[in-house]
Amino acid sequence: MEFFDKVGKVALGSRLRLMTAMITDDAAKIYESYGMNFMPKWFPVFYTLIEEREITITEIANEIGHSQPSVSKIIQEMIVAGLVEENLKSNDKRRNIVDLTKQGREFSKELKLQLKDVEAAVDGLIAESSHNLWAALEEWEFLLNQKSLFKRVNEQKKLRESQDVKIVPFEPKYQEAFRELNVEWISTYFEMEEADYKALDNPQEYILNKGGKIYVALYRNEPVGVCALIKTKDSDYDFEMAKMAVSPKAQGKNIGFLLGQAIVNGAREEGAKKIYLESNTILKPAINLYYKLGFQKVYGLATPYKRCNIQMELVLN
């Protein structure tokens, strides 16, 4: 265990595999000590068949959380051992039913006695330990079903990398990046329109001089994301959040959310009560980001963009 003490929690999978190997090795010895010719990996499938009901290989796989090919292989091994038979008669001829043989049913009686001893031994182990592993496993399974370890690690990765991101106000030196980043993403999904050229070619005139703001995301001092807060003439909205673009090489670093927060905070600083945005529903990550920022869908507003098929607003408190 010295290795795990040194490596720590990042070796969670390796440690669980080692414990699984220890328990599986002991399980094989237990079956042997009871005079049973039985493999530990057969147990979930065999136990499911003990319930004496019509069931298919696919249904067994779904019930125990194994793959269908894995269950098929185990069934074939138990058929060779004389414990299981398949292709049984069923009310539904399309279903390939499997069941225990007479030998399998006799074996199940012996297995039930062995299981009582195993359960008592596990209860004793739980009583001796400071932590109830069985209860902890149930809790971990629930939590991982809510959010996988993969997602949790990605969140930590984004959090760590976002610490290297700085959101700064627009300066003339960022004009080229503002234009290129937007042209890149617009051209990837849609086509440039007249309204795009106005804002991207003349941000000072079209956005900043009219009371708007532009924010630039720097990752290790390189501009990799931009977003604008454009002053509107609409009586219902003070600003429009627009021209958000993040370089593909910098995606996954929480940059869009940081830019969105800067836009919302910038609007609040200007005393804005409501801001809105226009987008397209094929941009699912962007739409999810807007909802995360607090935007909600609205309908029926005029738009200069052909690509717009969703409009959203954010009410600022």
Side-chain angles (χ1 to χ4, degrees):
M1 292 304 166
E2 186 176 330
F3 169 77
F4 296 111
D5 291 337
K6 180 168 57 177
V7 177
K9 299 178 182 67
V10 296
L12 173 64
S14 298
R15 189 160 192 172
L16 288 174
R17 279 193 295 273
L18 179 60
M19 179 175 285
T20 299
M22 292 169 60
I23 293 173
T24 302
D25 185 52
D26 272 351
K29 293 176 182 176
I30 291 167
Y31 289 124
E32 186 179 351
S33 71
Y34 281 72
M36 296 178 172
N37 182 22
F38 194 82
M39 298 179 67
K41 68 176 181 178
W42 295 352
F43 176 76
V45 175
F46 189 85
Y47 192 86
T48 303
L49 292 172
I50 288 177
E51 297 181 356
E52 299 186 28
R53 56 194 169 95
E54 288 191 353
I55 192 167
T56 66
I57 290 174
T58 300
E59 289 167 339
I60 295 172
N62 291 335
E63 189 161 319
I64 67 176
H66 286 204
S67 69
Q68 195 267 352
S70 171
V71 173
S72 292
K73 184 177 179 182
I74 289 172
I75 290 292
Q76 293 304 314
E77 290 173 355
M78 289 197 294
I79 288 174
V80 173
L83 300 175
V84 171
E85 56 186 337
E86 62 176 347
N87 298 320
L88 302 178
K89 293 181 180 180
S90 168
N91 295 329
D92 185 348
K93 295 181 179 179
R94 295 169 299 179
R95 303 174 80 227
N96 183 18
I97 303 300
V98 294
D99 198 1
L100 298 180
T101 61
K102 182 178 180 181
Q103 179 184 339
R105 297 194 188 287
E106 290 299 319
F107 182 85
S108 70
K109 296 175 184 177
E110 300 176 31
L111 182 65
K112 288 177 181 178
L113 293 175
Q114 184 233 67
L115 293 182
K116 289 182 180 180
D117 296 341
V118 172
E119 186 169 5
V122 173
D123 285 339
L125 186 58
I126 290 173
E128 292 177 29
S129 63
S130 302
H131 307 284
N132 187 330
L133 178 60
W134 189 256
L137 285 172
E138 289 183 346
E139 185 176 17
W140 273 58
E141 286 166 352
F142 172 80
L143 293 172
L144 289 173
N145 280 329
Q146 299 300 306
K147 186 188 295 184
S148 70
L149 184 60
F150 174 73
K151 287 186 177 180
R152 292 169 188 269
V153 171
N154 268 344
E155 286 179 356
Q156 293 303 315
K157 179 176 180 284
K158 284 183 179 181
L159 184 62
R160 174 177 55 78
E161 291 183 339
S162 68
Q163 293 172 356
D164 292 326
V165 177
K166 293 181 181 178
I167 307 298
V168 299
F170 179 83
E171 296 181 38
K173 65 181 179 180
Y174 298 129
Q175 181 167 340
E176 184 178 354
F178 179 62
R179 189 184 194 285
E180 289 183 353
L181 287 167
N182 269 283
V183 169
E184 181 179 25
W185 88 258
I186 293 172
S187 300
T188 298
Y189 297 99
F190 311 101
E191 62 181 27
M192 293 285 290
E193 301 181 41
E194 183 181 351
D196 293 314
Y197 289 111
K198 286 181 180 179
L200 299 178
D201 291 338
N202 304 287
Q204 187 70 45
E205 176 186 348
Y206 189 77
I207 300 174
L208 300 175
N209 292 349
K210 294 181 179 180
K213 298 173 181 285
I214 298 175
Y215 294 94
V216 180
L218 302 178
Y219 181 64
R220 296 175 180 171
N221 296 317
E222 178 187 354
V224 293
V226 291
C227 194
L229 186 66
I230 301 175
K231 186 71 175 175
T232 72
K233 296 179 181 178
D234 193 312
S235 59
D236 292 329
Y237 299 100
D238 302 288
F239 292 95
E240 175 189 1
M241 179 171 131
K243 298 295 175 281
M244 178 183 283
V246 177
S247 170
K249 65 183 180 182
Q251 287 175 358
K253 303 185 191 317
N254 220 29
I255 291 173
F257 183 71
L258 294 174
L259 282 167
Q261 281 187 319
I263 289 291
V264 172
N265 292 335
R268 283 199 176 100
E269 290 171 3
E270 296 297 320
K273 294 182 180 179
K274 282 202 298 186
I275 59 178
Y276 86 105
L277 62 82
E278 299 177 339
S279 189
N280 190 290
T281 50
I282 69 169
L283 306 171
K284 291 183 180 180
I287 301 302
N288 290 336
L289 167 63
Y290 302 145
Y291 278 120
K292 187 177 179 180
L293 289 167
F295 283 84
Q296 296 297 321
K297 197 183 300 185
V298 291
Y299 302 91
L301 302 175
T303 174
Y305 295 104
K306 290 186 291 184
R307 62 179 178 264
C308 172
N309 72 354
I310 183 172
Q311 298 169 310
M312 306 179 78
E313 70 174 17
L314 175 63
V315 178
L316 301 172
N317 298 325

